[in-house]
Amino acid sequence: MKDNYDINNYTYDMDRCIGCKGCVWVDHVYMPGVRYGVKCPSNAYKLFDGYAPMGREKIGKALLEGRIDYTPEYLDVMYMCQLCGACDAGCKRNLDLEPLSVLESLRVKAVKDGKGPMPAHKKVAQNIAEKGNRYGAAEKRSGWITKDTKISDKADMVYFPGCSASYVEKGIAQATGKILNKAGINFMTLGDKDTCCGHPVATSGMLDEAKAIARKNIDILKATGATTLVTSCAECYNTWKVIYPKMLSKNFADMGYQVIHLVEVVSKLVNEGKFTFSKPMNIRAAYHDPCRMARQGEPWVEWEGTRGQWGILTPKKEYRRGTFGVYQQPRDILNKIQGLDLVEMPRMKENAFCCGAGGGVMDAYPDFAMWAATERLTEVQSVAAEAVISACPYCKKVFNEASKANNMNIKAYDITEIILACM
Amino acid sequence: MGIPQEAYKAMEDIVGSQYITDDQVIAQAYVGRLGHGKDTGIDLEMNVPPAVIVLPRTTKEVQGILKIAHRYKINYVPASSFWISHCAPKRPNSIVLDLKRMNDLEIDEENMCAICGPGVIFSQLQEEAIKRGMYTTTPGGGSQVSVVANHINWGLSPLNYRNGVPGRRVLGGEWVLPDGELLRIGSMSTSDDPFWGEGPGPDLRGLLRGWIGWFGAMGVVTKLAVKLLPFHDEGLKPVGISPHTTLQFPEKKRIRWYNFVMPTRESLVECMYDIGKAEIAAALTKVPQQWRYIAKAGCREDFWEGWNTNEARKSINNIHICRVMLVGYASEEQLEYEERVLMDIMDSYGAKLGRTRQSDNSWIKNADSATMWMMTGAYTSVQVTVDTVDCGVKGGEGLAREKPAFTPPLMDDYGEPGWFQVSEIGHMGYIEFLQYWDPNPNQENLYKKDEWNYIKVPTLDAEWGMFNAFNMYASPMNLTGKAYGPECRKWFEKVKAEFDPDKISNDPIPWDVDEYVDKVDWVNKEDYINRDWSKG
């Protein structure tokens, strides 16, 4: 069985990078100008090419070939990255390479070699192992549930709120429950078996631990009999839809469950006229595409085969190029809300600039995460929006923190809160 | 550390500690293996990591760094977008000046020019230009290349049909000489406004750019004004999700593509002259067959499924596509007039108008040169003939006859004679002879691709009397210099010695190719390098 996280499976991808910086620049068709022309947060923050995906691939190759060894700078290069996947969609516009898998696998190698992850990641992993949540909180995970939220004992749909909405951004989980109730959709939770999806562990390169969490969660879901898992968190969405099958070397289609984000549920109902908004919201807002649901939102497609002359793959590989991520659904919802003036930022959809929180950056490099969030908020300001709406609790949190720290007077919302307020 | 501590400290004082590093992990990101020339001999065997990478922000900072380099005799290599393997350090203990922070861009609408720092790339400039009803000519090198670097390095674009090569559209600017002295050229020699190219006294732009530029061997251009050209004022709307992103043409008839299937290659060449004589069209090119198959392919395997067919093999001699762009710069009526003229010309050749999408994803704002690497993982153009187009095509056909001896390791393109187009409304023909190969080092006789690139093609050019622009930077000067005469290598060296006697800045290109060819054992030096070309 192929190990999708073994860096030796990606030496071709590293060597065949041609340095066009499609990983760094906004798609040239959409290039907005000098300002906001770069979509890679780490290369916008640390300007040396070593902090661009193309540079990381060369550095990783140098490590594999023994030309360099692990150093603190090497670990910074590999971990000072949100794994936001902007590089992946950009590279795959023209080439059949896998830069995001390279970056993920270099972290896995660092862990296997006893050099990674960063200390902050180890602490998060310890919290998850001991308390089932990334914060190490001792409270029950079900604390978000209000008395007026109707949760079935048995349903075909499981709501998986994730750590953030369970402990920090409880309003998102509460809004999700009420929206599903209003839509007349029966849902259940995993109850006292609900736990972290393992996203922080997987992205930090702790593959064995992440696989164990994946197997456990999949078994728990199977035991409920439910076939659909709904999330309100882009990271959880991505973990169940991409990371689990990738770690287990299976097609997502063969996992035996479906994963949907709440915006997919609501947009379908809105477009069918079955879900309407009765209250206006007078606000000018920009929608921020969360990386792991948008350009990384396509289901994992397993491939195993050989590479022959001219680099031809047998059998043919189906590449995830970011084309079919969740882009339009949240926009369809927000455009239906009276008074909400939805505007696009210069970097949008597959070219969106990450909020800064992902890939373990918020844990290990909080200054960088705050810088990236602030940079994104300047983009919100550039289109004269007063608010930014996302579909991931981590985006909301880091945006609000950055806005407050910089007196930017921009309010960040999760889309579930907007839907709830207007229904 | 590869350079003296005090030199590093002095540069750190200039740019700040955040923008300089001697970390050898970061240095690995600057070891060549990029862009045009990737996986050729010089790229694989001559690149070395730099000792220091420094990111200056201003002209003054560049001056300071170059003066320090001179004081301590440290070689340096400047580069903006690193899209050519010659811009990678090839000497130990070099400084790399990564110019990406120098990305100031100012549009002078009144004088129709853009004042650019070397960190500005073409798609950024094009966005700002089109917003204002103007345009620049995004080069075949790609949208991701530096406007400044590409303009002083010739900068050919499919859009040059109407307006000539960008090297001739260079205006005033700031040029830091190899020793750190600042030279202001054009109108900047007497004012701070670079709107005009000429200045008092000799016009130094020719010395700066030559035919193909110096690749950092003559210091660093830190600011340059380049001409912008009038465009229609309807804008172009970006649509689609990657990889299917494109610029949608406006509903008003201000810009249109036309794809014609010509009966023969000769008629394709002749119609280019006629279209030029009629002084119509915005761009005009022949589409190589493999590009058609790339355009249809969703991935590399799709391409090869299409390419490995008799249909593809036969298409080289049977299908001749002429792609024409018309722009109604002033009005819809202009385009309608040009369309009528175009149809008359094409009717006279028996051309058939085919279907084509009315959008652009590869010429105007996005030039996806990276796609050239999609088929096999390695690509280079060995031949850029600049001559009349019929002469260029004959050269391309000649090279196509010779290429089978080097195939494999080169990809079999079934005798495709290359991509050709005309510039300057037909006055200048342009042909680019393309090669693709599998760079896997386990491939047999892989050295033959270098023999073809560095020796065979320039030798054939010299024998046939063809001028190949790429010879000026991708072929050994010991061969081409003698063949073309007068000995331009000596001329290069004299100029270089005048400005940079200690040879601190980058070597003139293609000295790296000469060095590489000199050390490898597969070159028949008697027949090629040491040949007395005066005897024919």
Side-chain angles (χ1 to χ4, degrees):
Chain A
M1 187 171 68
K2 181 175 160 244
D3 179 354
N4 289 311
Y5 287 88
D6 180 353
I7 190 62
N8 294 309
N9 288 326
Y10 301 106
T11 51
Y12 182 90
D13 305 78
M14 299 161 84
D15 199 41
R16 298 274 59 82
C17 165
I18 54 172
C20 67
K21 297 192 179 174
C23 53
V24 170
W25 299 116
V26 169
D27 183 330
H28 298 292
V29 167
Y30 282 93
M31 175 59 78
V34 172
R35 186 74 176 105
Y36 307 124
V38 169
K39 65 187 173 187
C40 169
S42 50
N43 201 211
Y45 183 64
K46 298 276 270 184
L47 298 174
F48 295 106
D49 278 356
Y51 287 87
M54 45 76 72
R56 288 190 172 97
E57 292 189 310
K58 290 165 82 172
I59 290 167
K61 193 159 179 287
L63 183 89
L64 292 182
E65 292 172 356
R67 285 181 276 126
I68 56 171
D69 203 349
Y70 286 102
T71 64
E73 184 84 35
Y74 177 91
L75 292 173
D76 282 345
V77 163
M78 294 306 161
Y79 281 101
M80 200 177 265
C81 162
Q82 284 85 357
L83 299 177
C84 74
C87 53
D88 207 62
C91 179
K92 288 173 179 169
R93 189 188 186 284
N94 294 309
L95 298 168
D96 295 345
L97 301 173
E98 297 282 4
L100 182 59
S101 286
V102 169
L103 302 184
E104 291 171 340
S105 302
L106 285 168
R107 289 188 181 189
V108 169
K109 176 174 170 53
V111 171
K112 282 186 176 164
D113 290 345
K115 307 295 182 182
M118 305 304 281
H121 300 143
K122 290 178 185 168
K123 175 64 181 162
V124 171
Q126 187 185 350
N127 288 342
I128 293 168
E130 291 174 0
K131 304 288 184 185
N133 66 81
R134 61 179 299 152
Y135 307 109
E139 299 85 40
K140 277 191 170 180
R141 206 171 169 88
S142 56
W144 63 271
I145 300 172
T146 57
K147 284 180 186 170
D148 56 348
T149 307
K150 289 179 220 156
I151 299 175
S152 303
D153 292 331
K154 191 78 179 168
D156 193 45
M157 179 182 282
V158 161
Y159 172 46
F160 187 86
C163 295
S164 179
S166 297
Y167 292 100
V168 179
E169 299 287 349
K170 291 182 185 177
I172 294 173
Q174 288 159 355
T176 303
K178 286 171 185 163
I179 293 163
L180 291 171
N181 286 164
K182 197 230 170 181
I185 297 169
N186 287 330
F187 72 95
M188 59 187 292
T189 67
L190 295 178
D192 59 3
K193 293 193 170 60
D194 191 10
T195 185
C196 176
C197 68
H199 189 89
V201 181
T203 54
S204 65
M206 301 172 73
L207 191 61
D208 293 341
E209 293 85 345
K211 273 185 187 172
I213 294 170
R215 289 194 178 103
K216 188 177 162 193
N217 273 337
I218 292 165
D219 287 347
I220 291 168
L221 179 66
K222 275 187 184 163
T224 66
T227 58
T228 301
L229 185 130
V230 64
T231 77
S232 53
C233 169
E235 290 199 351
C236 298
Y237 178 88
N238 181 267
T239 307
W240 284 86
K241 195 170 180 179
V242 179
I243 295 178
Y244 285 178
K246 183 176 179 182
M247 286 194 298
L248 302 174
S249 302
K250 290 173 80 169
N251 275 315
F252 173 68
D254 299 329
M255 293 296 283
Y257 59 80
Q258 288 299 313
V259 179
I260 50 174
H261 190 281
L262 184 79
V263 296
E264 295 176 280
V265 178
V266 175
S267 69
K268 184 168 183 289
L269 294 171
V270 163
N271 289 334
E272 291 169 353
K274 294 175 183 170
F275 194 103
T276 55
F277 297 105
S278 56
K279 296 174 195 164
M281 179 170 281
N282 293 314
I283 193 171
R284 183 176 166 91
Y287 178 70
H288 166 82
D289 293 276
C291 310
R292 283 168 178 77
M293 188 173 90
R295 58 187 163 228
Q296 290 192 48
E298 292 166 317
W300 178 254
V301 181
E302 182 65 11
W303 177 85
E304 187 164 9
T306 55
R307 190 182 291 280
Q309 196 182 18
W310 317 117
I312 297 170
L313 296 178
T314 306
K316 185 160 76 176
K317 183 174 182 175
E318 189 179 324
Y319 286 89
R320 297 168 59 248
R321 298 183 197 268
T323 315
F324 303 107
V326 181
Y327 300 113
Q328 195 53 43
Q329 296 90 332
R331 290 171 170 83
D332 284 349
I333 294 168
L334 296 171
N335 277 323
K336 287 283 191 329
I337 295 173
Q338 195 187 345
L340 198 154
D341 181 10
L342 184 67
V343 288
E344 293 289 358
M345 287 185 273
R347 292 173 289 194
M348 58 175 172
K349 299 182 180 175
E350 75 274 30
N351 295 298
F353 193 82
C354 175
C355 73
V361 168
M362 191 53 150
D363 302 311
Y365 304 96
D367 291 349
F368 172 34
M370 286 293 281
W371 177 88
T374 306
E375 162 70 5
R376 186 62 162 160
L377 292 181
T378 67
E379 207 173 340
V380 177
Q381 288 177 324
S382 79
V383 292
E386 58 197 302
V388 59
I389 301 167
S390 186
C392 181
Y394 297 102
C395 303
K396 180 195 165 190
K397 183 168 185 292
V398 73
F399 282 146
N400 276 328
E401 288 173 359
S403 178
K404 190 178 172 188
N406 296 288
N407 295 316
M408 295 176 90
N409 200 26
I410 295 171
K411 182 77 180 158
Y413 297 100
D414 190 84
I415 194 166
T416 54
E417 299 167 313
I418 302 287
I419 296 168
L420 178 67
C422 298
M423 71 184 196
Chain B
M1 182 183 288
I3 69 167
Q5 183 74 42
E6 56 270 33
Y8 184 92
K9 181 70 176 63
M11 287 190 286
E12 188 178 55
D13 288 345
I14 290 170
V15 297
S17 59
Q18 196 180 346
Y19 300 115
I20 184 168
T21 186
D22 59 358
D23 187 278
Q24 284 305 292
V25 168
I26 301 298
Q28 290 297 327
Y30 291 87
V31 188
R33 310 299 321 280
L34 302 167
H36 202 267
K38 183 174 189 285
D39 289 307
T40 58
I42 59 159
D43 180 59
L44 290 169
E45 296 190 28
M46 294 191 68
N47 292 325
V48 293
V52 174
I53 305 105
V54 59
L55 284 76
R57 175 74 184 90
T58 64
T59 298
K60 199 170 178 183
E61 289 181 4
V62 171
Q63 284 185 268
I65 293 160
L66 266 52
K67 284 176 181 172
I68 290 163
H70 262 266
R71 187 184 313 152
Y72 291 95
K73 309 288 182 213
I74 307 166
N75 300 133
Y76 65 85
V77 182
S80 304
S81 48
F82 295 94
W83 186 240
I84 195 150
S85 54
H86 298 287
C87 293
K90 294 183 175 59
R91 290 181 282 183
N93 301 320
S94 295
I95 300 166
V96 160
L97 282 87
D98 180 342
L99 303 172
K100 66 163 74 79
R101 289 179 70 216
M102 302 185 74
N103 59 356
D104 291 333
L105 170 62
E106 185 188 335
I107 306 289
D108 180 346
E109 289 188 58
E110 195 178 342
N111 292 305
M112 294 186 71
C113 66
I115 303 146
C116 304
V120 177
I121 63 168
F122 270 93
S123 57
Q124 294 174 330
L125 173 57
Q126 193 70 301
E127 170 68 17
E128 298 297 343
I130 289 177
K131 267 187 214 166
R132 294 163 173 84
M134 297 183 283
Y135 77 109
T136 185
T137 56
T138 302
S143 328
Q144 80 286 358
V145 305
S146 159
V147 173
V148 170
N150 200 256
H151 270 77
I152 58 175
N153 182 18
W154 196 34
L156 192 114
S157 160
L159 297 174
N160 291 153
Y161 164 75
R162 202 172 188 88
N163 42 58
V165 291
R168 297 173 187 165
R169 285 187 252 126
V170 168
L171 302 170
E174 289 181 342
W175 171 11
V176 181
L177 297 175
D179 62 358
E181 186 186 347
L182 178 63
L183 181 64
R184 289 157 70 101
I185 58 172
S187 54
M188 280 201 89
S189 59
T190 54
S191 75
D192 288 334
D193 189 344
F195 76 105
W196 193 251
E198 284 79 26
D203 185 348
L204 295 172
R205 289 176 299 175
L207 188 62
L208 173 65
R209 69 189 175 208
W211 172 252
I212 202 92
W214 284 86
F215 296 92
M218 286 285 277
V220 184
V221 176
T222 54
K223 180 192 277 191
L224 196 67
V226 298
K227 284 185 191 172
L228 296 176
L229 305 152
F231 199 44
H232 70 78
D233 52 9
E234 292 292 326
L236 297 165
K237 185 184 172 192
V239 295
I241 302 282
S242 184
H244 311 294
T245 57
T246 191
L247 289 175
Q248 204 169 53
F249 288 175
E251 279 185 28
K252 283 189 180 176
K253 207 168 176 182
R254 299 296 291 272
I255 178 166
R256 284 286 184 276
W257 280 117
Y258 303 83
N259 268 11
F260 293 96
V261 182
M262 307 303 295
T264 61
R265 191 174 296 138
E266 290 73 23
S267 63
L268 172 50
V269 170
E270 289 303 316
C271 83
M272 288 185 170
Y273 282 120
D274 282 356
I275 293 168
K277 280 178 195 163
E279 296 197 353
I280 61 163
L284 180 54
T285 191
K286 173 246 181 170
V287 181
Q289 287 302 311
Q290 63 267 40
W291 292 7
R292 294 181 65 220
Y293 283 85
I294 291 174
K296 290 180 205 163
C299 61
R300 173 181 292 165
E301 290 71 32
D302 284 350
F303 166 80
W304 281 97
E305 277 175 26
W307 192 244
N308 272 338
T309 59
N310 280 334
E311 183 193 332
R313 184 177 288 276
K314 287 177 186 168
S315 70
I316 300 297
N317 289 316
N318 295 337
I319 299 178
H320 310 283
I321 307 281
C322 183
R323 188 161 168 79
V324 185
M325 179 192 281
L326 299 185
V327 175
Y329 295 99
S331 63
E332 290 180 85
E333 288 76 12
Q334 182 190 355
L335 194 147
E336 283 163 1
Y337 160 74
E338 293 198 6
E339 185 179 76
R340 286 196 298 275
V341 176
L342 177 67
M343 293 306 173
D344 282 351
I345 293 170
M346 293 315 219
D347 279 350
S348 73
Y349 286 99
K352 288 182 184 162
L353 182 62
R355 285 186 308 167
T356 188
R357 279 192 289 263
Q358 292 305 328
S359 61
D360 182 76
N361 56 11
S362 59
W363 279 29
I364 297 173
K365 191 175 173 196
N366 176 60
D368 43 2
S369 52
T371 307
M372 292 295 98
W373 278 259
M374 189 266 265
M375 289 177 281
T376 68
Y379 148 79
T380 192
S381 288
V382 289
Q383 174 82 2
V384 172
T385 304
V386 181
D387 207 313
T388 56
V389 67
D390 52 333
C391 183
V393 172
K394 283 175 194 158
E397 289 170 341
L399 289 177
R401 283 192 294 273
E402 300 285 340
K403 194 174 175 183
F406 298 85
T407 306
L410 300 178
M411 178 186 116
D412 187 358
D413 57 10
Y414 310 144
E416 167 62 58
W419 161 43
F420 60 85
Q421 62 169 48
V422 283
S423 297
E424 299 175 346
I425 315 195
H427 286 282
M428 191 181 105
Y430 175 87
I431 184 163
E432 199 161 323
F433 199 72
L434 314 158
Q435 17 278 321
Y436 311 90
W437 69 95
D438 184 346
N440 183 340
N442 298 325
Q443 299 293 311
E444 270 186 53
N445 301 329
L446 201 51
Y447 75 91
K448 285 177 76 176
K449 59 89 167 72
D450 287 322
E451 186 183 352
W452 170 251
N453 289 350
Y454 296 142
I455 303 298
K456 187 67 179 177
V457 171
T459 302
L460 290 172
D461 285 336
E463 287 176 352
W464 297 342
M466 310 276 291
F467 180 72
N468 178 354
F470 277 13
N471 282 343
M472 297 301 288
Y473 79 90
S475 305
M477 195 59 83
N478 271 331
L479 191 163
T480 53
K482 291 172 189 167
Y484 288 100
E487 244 300 19
C488 54
R489 179 175 181 128
K490 287 179 184 164
W491 186 86
F492 260 104
E493 285 174 342
K494 276 183 187 171
V495 176
K496 174 79 172 165
E498 190 64 35
F499 285 86
D500 185 16
D502 295 327
K503 297 183 179 177
I504 300 300
S505 65
N506 202 16
D507 276 334
I509 301 304
W511 274 218
D512 48 359
V513 179
D514 280 282
E515 266 184 58
Y516 172 69
V517 166
D518 199 40
K519 77 175 187 179
V520 294
D521 57 10
W522 46 258
V523 178
N524 183 337
K525 296 182 177 67
E526 274 314 304
D527 279 2
Y528 297 113
I529 306 296
N530 301 331
R531 181 164 159 181
D532 182 357
W533 287 91
S534 64
K535 292 178 182 169

